[in-house]
Amino acid sequence: MLSLPQASRDAVLERCELLDCDNRTVLHQMGETTNAVYFPETAVISALATYGDGSMIEMANIGREACTGINLTLGRDTQLTANEIQVSGTLLKLPASHFQALLAEDPAFKKALFSTIQAVLFQVMVSGACNGAHDARQRLSRWLLTMHDRADGQHMKLTHEFLSQMLGVRRATVSKVASELRDEGHITYSHGRMTVTNHRGLRAASCECYDRVRTAYETLLPAA
């Protein structure tokens, strides 16, 4: 959860419902009214851009250091993105009305949320630059490292088709790169389950964007 003083944390927790969600669970659709905010514990959420042909591309992913609800924090109740579970696990659901009340009543909660906005927006900006500057191997390596960190090293249910959608590249490109990373001993995958087995090697295959985002999160959201 957000890095909060204990009193603020308790105020949030007493108003939350604990959920256990499978991957691909849709939490919000773009354009709908936001009725709840989600704080991941072991789950990871992706904020997705959706297009008329049904395709999706990930803009940011959210782990236990942050939460959804950027639009509510900024005074809008309409979803700017779709939100979907990408790594199954637990998360806390806070009704929008309680979220807005805490935002108005608790300066520490509001400060933590604005730090979260800074961190997530920085991730979005770096991801946009990365998509133009780096190749599919670097981008896939960076994405897998980020998910690995937030999933605490668990097996991840990730198909090549899904990864191609998240990265905005052809499925054949993902298959080629994933095979290379597997043959080099950085990952294993079988039947839609992928595991990072050599974090250092995968980090070398990635680009500097991974470290930039990780450093920003550690600075803005310490001890989350």
Side-chain angles (χ1 to χ4, degrees):
M1 182 185 271
L2 301 177
S3 180
L4 291 168
Q6 192 59 50
S8 298
R9 182 179 293 266
D10 290 343
V12 174
L13 290 174
E14 69 183 14
R15 306 184 196 193
C16 284
E17 174 188 2
L18 180 64
L19 304 177
D20 193 347
C21 293
D22 293 329
N23 60 326
R24 311 297 177 268
T25 299
V26 177
L27 302 175
H28 297 118
Q29 296 282 10
M30 185 175 67
E32 70 181 16
T33 299
T34 305
N35 58 12
V37 173
Y38 295 90
F39 298 82
E41 290 192 325
T42 60
V44 181
I45 300 170
S46 282
L48 304 170
T50 59
Y51 297 92
D53 61 0
S55 63
M56 301 178 295
I57 296 179
E58 183 183 81
M59 296 187 290
N61 47 67
I62 299 166
R64 60 179 171 265
E65 75 293 329
C67 64
T68 64
I70 285 178
N71 58 309
L72 289 179
T73 306
L74 297 177
R76 292 180 55 88
D77 64 1
T78 302
Q79 276 295 127
L80 302 175
T81 66
N83 291 327
E84 182 178 291
I85 300 290
Q86 300 307 354
V87 175
S88 60
T90 57
L91 67 164
L92 296 166
K93 178 181 179 180
L94 179 66
S97 58
H98 293 316
F99 178 87
Q100 291 168 315
L102 287 167
L103 188 63
E105 297 165 2
D106 188 343
F109 185 64
K110 184 175 182 178
K111 180 179 179 181
L113 285 168
F114 275 94
S115 292
T116 296
I117 290 174
Q118 285 182 273
V120 173
L121 289 182
F122 183 75
Q123 181 192 163
V124 172
M125 290 187 290
V126 170
S127 294
C130 183
N131 289 345
H134 299 127
D135 61 30
R137 174 186 170 92
Q138 292 171 308
R139 291 166 54 206
L140 178 59
S141 298
R142 177 177 68 86
W143 196 89
L144 291 174
L145 285 167
T146 300
M147 284 296 180
H148 171 81
D149 291 348
R150 290 178 173 161
D152 292 327
Q154 301 177 60
H155 297 291
M156 297 175 284
K157 295 179 181 179
L158 301 169
T159 65
H160 290 186
E161 180 67 29
F162 169 74
L163 289 170
S164 71
Q165 291 180 340
M166 292 300 97
L167 297 174
V169 299
R170 296 172 58 244
R171 186 187 185 284
T173 301
V174 170
S175 296
K176 177 178 181 294
V177 172
S179 294
E180 291 174 356
L181 295 174
R182 180 192 59 191
D183 293 345
E184 292 166 12
H186 305 321
I187 64 172
T188 62
Y189 65 83
S190 177
H191 304 295
R193 292 169 65 86
M194 190 170 290
T195 305
V196 174
T197 52
N198 181 358
H199 192 278
R200 180 177 295 180
L202 194 61
R203 199 164 180 171
S206 181
C207 51
E208 62 265 38
C209 298
Y210 169 71
D211 286 318
R212 286 183 180 178
V213 173
R214 183 168 179 169
T215 298
Y217 269 71
E218 289 173 350
T219 300
L220 291 165
L221 306 172

